[in-house]
Amino acid sequence: MSNYLIIYSTTDGHTKIICERIKNLLSDGNLVELLSLENAKKVDLSNFEKIIIGASIRYGKYSKEFYKFINLNKNILNEKKSAFFSVNVVARKLEKNTAETNPYINKFLKISKWKPNKISVFAGKVDYPSYNFFEKYIIKFIMVITKGPTDTSKSYEFTDWSKVDVFSEEFKNNY
């Protein structure tokens, strides 16, 4: 039996949904705690054997709070069995949907100096109806440039759930 902590940094909630799925997959015979980044700041990470952190990208960046958290905790994260995954819409493209080819992951790992045991990227979601006017049209502009969907009356989920399942199983069985 392992003791897991799953932390999520989310903008619109999709990263949390992915983390909930990972929690369900790991819960069989294990203790698994799921916390938002804000709540994780109040927890002693040394109490957990394995730590998974998922973070979303908005406008090409992770949140400043996410960077601060990793910077404050990178020593313990490097000592523990840890995994990181990024959630971004760029990963909907075949040539950018691996940890090695995703520009956000590469930049983050270089800056953070954290060396997770397992790294992945999952394509996120564009949920136009839930965005305010400004967000809707900024994201639509980005989608025009990157040849993504632009109908603002719809939501588009790009997440490959089987990839999430494989990530979870591999981390559970190999680390």
Side-chain angles (χ1 to χ4, degrees), residues 35-53:
L35 296 173
S36 67
L37 182 67
E38 189 61 36
N39 289 330
K41 293 176 188 177
K42 306 167 193 166
V43 177
D44 182 354
L45 301 184
S46 66
N47 291 330
F48 298 89
E49 291 173 63
K50 300 179 181 184
I51 301 170
I52 299 172
I53 301 178

Side-chain angles (χ1 to χ4, degrees), residues 76-118:
I76 194 155
L77 289 170
N78 282 328
E79 292 170 8
K80 298 284 180 179
K81 302 286 185 197
S82 66
F84 169 65
F85 67 88
S86 177
V87 178
N88 56 77
V89 177
V90 168
R92 76 186 189 284
K93 295 185 172 197
L94 192 58
E95 70 274 12
K96 295 184 180 179
N97 75 354
T98 68
E100 297 76 28
T101 61
N102 190 271
Y104 302 120
I105 289 179
N106 292 321
K107 182 179 177 184
F108 166 73
L109 292 173
K110 194 177 289 185
I111 292 170
S112 74
K113 307 285 192 256
W114 174 29
K115 294 176 177 39
N117 300 98
K118 181 137 188 76

Side-chain angles (χ1 to χ4, degrees), residues 1 5 29 35 57 65 67 97 115 128 137 147 149 156:
M1 177 165 65
L5 174 61
L35 296 173
I57 290 288
E65 290 302 311
Y67 274 107
N97 75 354
K115 294 176 177 39
Y128 287 114
Y137 288 97
K147 297 177 177 47
Y156 303 89

